[in-house]
Amino acid sequence: MKFWEKLLSIDRRIIYLVIAITVILPLFVPTGWPINVTYEVKNIYDYVENLGPDGVVLLSADYDASTLAELQPMFDTSLRHCFSRDVKVMVMSLYPQGVGLAEMSLKRIAKEYNKVNGVDYCFLGYRPGASIIIMGMGSNIRIPFPSDYYGTPLKDIPMMKGINNFSDIDLVISFSGTGIVASWLYYAHEPYNQDIAWGVTAVMASDYYPFLQSHQIVGLIGGMKGAAEYETLISKPGLATSGMDAQSWAHIMIIIFIIIGNIGYLAMRKK
Amino acid sequence: MFLKRQLPLLITLICGIVWGVQYFIPHPASDAVYSFYTDWALVIGLFAAILGFISIIRLHSMKIKYHAKNWQFSVVTLAAMPVMIVAALLTGTESGGAFMWLYNYVEVPIEATMFSLLAFYIASAAYRAFRARSAQATALLVAAAIVMLGRVPVGAQISFWTHLFPGTSIPQVASWILNVPNMAAKRAINLGVGLGMMMVSLKIILGIERTYLGGQD
């Protein structure tokens, strides 16, 4: 086999091995490249930063374990930011698998900031039927959520006093690897003018730039990079920041493989 | 026939017009109608969940019965359902119970592993399929490479020319690609999809599109 043909037929096992090394090695030997912050993430940070103790942010963990690596760090960071600003936090999920992931984070991070369930935050849990739940919340949160995840009626939760519908919530941030985020736009922002922001996977982010430019969403956290930007803004480097080196090297390797493939392809075409 | 065809069509027509008009009437009476609807929709949604549960049992039972391809996975699916239900009933769905233990230590690693494999497949697929076969393919290739580098910290590190040409670093060019050409294309697609959805909705409300009823109509 000639050199150019070899370039076109690298065994996929070699590619897998190179990618595995490229992803694993930087986790042990970090390069620590600085993370530049984009305006779409900064917008969310500024919004939360300007909220006081009377502010209420609803975080909707609409994701599952398949997108955990990208979405969990941004969920955690948003939670940390809200707690650090003493903003009241409501957490819910429109995705059955999201509720377990959200609860784990919520308990862990609430402990970090000495926040008390029912006083500083409220965990509403999961309800099926995304669009219907959001529509119901617009009228009265107690319709889809008569009680919180632990069975306490919302009327008995101190934090929920005075929070009845979207007009009492400053910002909704939905984290999802699916189109469920758009439901918040259709049923919360459009009819109720609810300020919303999205945390989505990197592959989805490009779909949502039109909504950012039209100011229908406050901001957009895209993939692990977006999460790392948020971590940088609140000066709490976490999982996303440590994953950035691995992602940088993986992207470089993929581009190198594409270049190799194209060199081989062009050389063979000339022949 | 009336119950199977005319009645559902009539309900769709009335509900479609009522909720369509309701959206544009900011009045307490209109809000009351809306609230009434959301109550109903929640109840109907729960029935849909029950139907889904029955449907998944039927589907996998048939696969096992007829030894369809990979029927063994259906056995696992059907076995997992009562295990999770019993675990939730006995220990609750809060963290610390058997249900959350199974979720955290079985489902989460399985799902995360499946998705992690994508990185390897994408690398292999990109190497094999991403070829500069035409001018359009080359433009796509270059744009993809810039966005890939611009969305990670290394993009800024290798933009050594920025002191000569300010505003042309890889992250800035990537941002321009996402905010200008990408957004223009997405907006065009979204408008098309929106108009299409409106047309389909009208066809359903007016009874022209009836495939959702099932059967031959």
Side-chain angles (χ1 to χ4, degrees):
Chain A
M1 192 184 282
K2 286 177 185 170
F3 176 72
W4 302 118
E5 285 173 1
K6 274 186 185 172
L7 282 187
L8 275 175
S9 55
I10 299 173
D11 193 316
R12 70 181 62 196
R13 284 167 296 188
I14 294 172
I15 297 173
Y16 294 165
L17 185 68
V18 171
I19 292 294
I21 293 167
T22 310
V23 170
I24 294 165
L25 210 59
L27 296 174
F28 295 100
V29 193
T31 46
W33 285 315
I35 293 157
N36 61 312
V37 177
T38 53
Y39 77 97
E40 52 261 35
V41 179
K42 181 80 166 43
N43 285 356
I44 299 175
Y45 171 82
D46 288 341
Y47 195 105
V48 176
E49 199 67 11
N50 290 325
L51 294 175
D54 295 332
V56 179
V57 172
L58 170 65
L59 304 179
S60 191
D62 308 326
Y63 59 93
D64 61 12
S66 62
T67 49
L68 177 87
E70 287 185 281
L71 302 177
Q72 191 73 47
M74 55 179 83
F75 177 83
D76 289 2
T77 310
S78 305
L79 205 50
R80 282 197 173 93
H81 191 201
C82 291
F83 281 158
S84 70
R85 300 291 304 160
D86 292 325
V87 170
K88 294 198 168 39
V89 181
M90 294 163 68
V91 176
M92 59 173 280
S93 179
L94 296 171
Y95 222 68
Q97 288 96 330
V99 72
L101 301 171
E103 197 208 10
M104 270 196 300
S105 271
L106 189 56
K107 281 190 167 173
R108 180 169 40 84
I109 295 166
K111 213 173 169 183
E112 278 176 31
Y113 290 86
N114 296 319
K115 297 294 178 188
V116 179
N117 181 24
V119 178
D120 304 301
Y121 69 89
C122 174
F123 186 40
L124 297 171
Y126 161 75
R127 289 287 185 280
S131 52
I132 299 300
I133 299 301
I134 299 169
M135 289 161 83
M137 289 175 78
S139 301
N140 187 348
I141 292 169
R142 285 156 186 82
I143 295 173
F145 293 101
S147 58
D148 73 353
Y149 184 64
Y150 308 106
T152 312
L154 291 200
K155 65 179 171 59
D156 297 336
I157 296 175
M159 197 204 98
M160 291 306 290
K161 284 195 171 68
I163 302 174
N164 298 310
N165 52 38
F166 287 135
S167 59
D168 306 310
I169 298 170
D170 293 290
L171 178 69
V172 174
I173 312 179
S174 171
F175 304 90
S176 183
T178 68
I180 215 166
V181 288
S183 298
W184 287 103
L185 180 76
Y186 304 146
Y187 304 113
H189 175 77
E190 291 308 321
Y192 298 102
N193 278 324
Q194 173 64 52
D195 286 340
I196 57 168
W198 293 336
V200 296
T201 55
V203 75
M204 289 168 66
S206 64
D207 286 350
Y208 296 128
Y209 275 82
F211 303 110
L212 195 65
Q213 194 242 7
S214 60
H215 302 292
Q216 286 170 290
I217 57 172
V218 170
L220 180 70
I221 312 173
M224 195 182 275
K225 169 72 169 22
E229 289 175 34
Y230 207 156
E231 287 177 357
T232 305
L233 283 166
I234 67 161
S235 305
K236 286 253 179 203
L239 279 171
T241 306
S242 59
M244 269 296 92
D245 287 341
Q247 201 172 28
S248 286
W249 284 109
H251 282 200
I252 290 170
M253 280 319 300
I254 291 172
I255 289 170
I256 290 172
F257 277 123
I258 292 171
I259 291 169
I260 291 171
N262 276 283
I263 290 170
Y265 167 74
L266 292 172
M268 292 297 287
R269 200 170 67 167
K270 274 185 181 174
K271 285 191 175 183
Chain B
M1 195 64 186
F2 173 75
L3 287 176
K4 277 190 172 178
R5 290 273 171 238
Q6 278 91 341
L7 186 63
L9 287 172
L10 194 66
I11 293 170
T12 308
L13 177 72
I14 293 167
C15 290
I17 292 170
V18 168
W19 310 131
V21 171
Q22 184 277 330
Y23 187 85
F24 297 98
I25 303 175
H27 188 273
S30 169
D31 287 345
V33 171
Y34 180 74
S35 183
F36 173 76
Y37 161 71
T38 50
D39 283 353
W40 266 79
L42 275 170
V43 177
I44 294 167
L46 280 174
F47 278 104
I50 296 167
L51 277 176
F53 187 74
I54 295 166
S55 172
I56 201 166
I57 291 173
R58 276 184 63 186
L59 176 80
H60 289 284
S61 302
M62 297 303 271
K63 276 191 168 183
I64 296 166
K65 189 179 176 184
Y66 294 108
H67 281 216
K69 195 184 174 190
N70 297 327
W71 63 273
Q72 296 89 341
F73 296 129
S74 296
V75 176
V76 177
T77 306
L78 288 184
M81 285 168 76
V83 168
M84 292 302 275
I85 291 168
V86 169
L89 288 173
L90 292 180
T91 64
T93 55
E94 293 174 35
S95 55
F99 177 82
M100 283 310 289
W101 188 90
L102 283 166
Y103 175 74
N104 288 329
Y105 298 106
V106 179
E107 190 176 340
V108 169
I110 287 172
E111 278 192 41
T113 306
M114 287 293 289
F115 207 72
S116 304
L117 294 175
L118 271 181
F120 300 95
Y121 292 133
I122 285 171
S124 177
Y127 161 70
R128 278 165 224 295
F130 236 159
R131 298 275 190 261
R133 289 195 171 88
S134 62
Q136 290 94 327
T138 311
L140 186 69
L141 191 77
V142 172
I146 292 170
V147 173
M148 275 178 76
L149 286 174
R151 296 293 298 167
V152 286
V154 73
Q157 298 302 308
I158 59 173
S159 301
F160 54 86
W161 56 86
T162 45
H163 64 283
L164 289 173
F165 306 103
T168 59
S169 70
I170 293 177
Q172 284 166 317
V173 178
S175 183
W176 180 84
I177 290 171
L178 287 169
N179 281 297
V180 183
N182 165 69
M183 189 151 60
K186 289 288 178 193
R187 186 154 286 162
I189 292 167
N190 285 347
L191 282 170
V193 170
L195 287 170
M197 280 168 71
M198 228 167 75
M199 286 298 108
V200 172
S201 302
L202 273 176
K203 282 170 81 175
I204 290 172
I205 290 168
L206 298 174
I208 300 163
E209 168 64 53
R210 300 176 182 191
T211 45
Y212 69 95
L213 291 170
Q216 298 298 312
D217 243 344

